[in-house]
Amino acid sequence: MTHAFLATCPAGVGVYLAQELNGLGAQQIVERPMGVSFEGGLGLSYQACLWSRMANRIILQLGAEEASSVDELYEATRQIDWRAHLAANGSLLVDFAGRSGDVRNAHFGAQRIKDAIVDQFKEKGMGRPSVDLKQPDVRVFARLSKGRLILGIDLSGDSLHRRGYRLDGGVAPLRENIAAAALWAAGWPERSQQGEALLDPMCGSATLLLEGALMALDRAPGLNRKRFGFHGWAGHDEEQWRAVRANADERA
């Protein structure tokens, strides 16, 4: 089954992220203001979560509706069958950004979307999902821009730029996915296979060197993660995920 996804990333990184996703086998790749949209199967999204060196988040897109008022936000959210994504006794967190004449702050927008999801379960007599701000089962992605609401499921969980190797950074350490994009732009993945050396004369927190090492070793940047956002999602296919993970372990 083909799904629509959105990979968010820092500004200026989209052109390289699109190349990376193409290498993973993504289809219908389009660079957008928020990142890169693409299509593919569920296995591709698992690969993107595990292997993308430049994305912040991998979002399973559920829909986009015209909405600007709080009532329209609520109704647009109700158009989605959330029972296919979240258990009635599960937990959620709404990650909302954007504003309109009616929606002046992110907390208010997130509250109305949460209400729409919870009310859908209550009306079916299925109980009430709870809100968890630390480790929810499902993280709902919501972006309101120019009167249009985009909704999705965040399959990544914590931002993918957090590899897990940084215990302590400098005053302003370079973000890992920005470092990876700089190395990609310089052709380091190919050059490392030709035996070239990587020197960083301005080394601070060693981010460029660490990212360069991960590339040279063909090691998936998400290999140290214990949990991704899709692990609490009702549509998760554990067998397919294990196959993707096993392939990455073998390559490492």
Side-chain angles (χ1 to χ4, degrees):
M1 181 178 178
T2 300
H3 302 279
F5 301 100
L6 173 68
T8 66
C9 65
V13 173
V15 61
Y16 307 116
L17 175 57
Q19 295 169 8
E20 179 184 58
L21 291 168
N22 182 64
L24 291 175
Q27 304 295 320
Q28 304 299 321
I29 300 169
V30 179
E31 192 176 349
R32 311 262 183 205
M34 286 186 289
V36 179
S37 64
F38 63 101
E39 294 182 1
L42 189 58
L44 174 65
S45 70
Y46 292 157
Q47 289 187 62
C49 284
L50 187 62
W51 279 99
S52 179
R53 303 181 190 280
M54 288 172 272
N56 283 331
R57 300 185 179 279
I58 305 298
I59 309 298
L60 170 65
Q61 297 192 71
L62 300 181
E65 297 285 342
E66 298 299 320
S68 55
S69 70
V70 290
D71 290 338
E72 288 172 340
L73 278 186
Y74 183 91
E75 291 304 323
T77 306
R78 290 287 297 273
Q79 299 302 312
I80 295 169
D81 183 5
W82 294 98
R83 295 169 297 173
H85 306 286
L86 175 66
N89 62 346
S91 60
L92 77 156
L93 171 65
V94 179
D95 177 13
F96 181 93
R99 58 187 300 164
S100 68
D102 262 10
V103 183
R104 301 298 181 89
N105 63 75
H107 178 75
F108 184 45
Q111 182 73 30
R112 289 306 290 153
I113 288 174
K114 184 271 293 182
D115 289 344
I117 296 172
V118 171
D119 288 351
Q120 189 179 92
F121 281 87
K122 290 170 62 179
E123 289 174 6
K124 299 292 183 180
M126 298 177 64
R128 174 191 174 95
S130 60
V131 173
D132 186 336
L133 301 179
K134 293 185 177 180
Q135 193 176 80
D137 293 323
V138 171
R139 188 181 185 114
V140 178
F141 175 90
R143 293 295 182 272
L144 178 62
S145 177
K146 298 179 181 179
R148 190 170 180 81
L149 175 67
I150 300 173
L151 290 168
I153 301 295
D154 185 344
L155 300 178
S156 44
D158 200 13
S159 180
L160 296 176
H161 84 275
R162 297 188 176 100
R163 316 293 201 216
Y165 60 66
R166 188 194 299 283
L167 300 180
D168 190 19
V171 177
L174 182 65
R175 288 189 67 163
E176 291 83 345
N177 52 354
I178 294 178
L183 290 165
W184 185 284
W188 170 244
E190 296 78 18
R191 295 169 72 170
S192 68
Q193 299 307 306
Q194 296 169 10
E196 293 190 29
L198 177 62
L199 305 177
D200 183 3
M202 303 291 287
C203 183
S205 298
T207 309
L208 277 168
L209 298 177
L210 289 165
E211 290 299 312
L214 289 176
M215 289 179 174
L217 294 170
D218 193 29
R219 183 177 178 86
L223 211 52
N224 288 337
R225 283 191 174 229
K226 304 299 182 184
R227 186 181 188 277
F228 288 88
F230 54 73
H231 280 113
W233 171 53
H236 173 52
D237 185 333
E238 181 65 19
E239 184 177 351
Q240 198 165 8
W241 160 243
R242 286 181 180 178
V244 170
R245 174 64 193 247
N247 175 261
D249 282 331
E250 184 177 347
R251 288 170 62 173

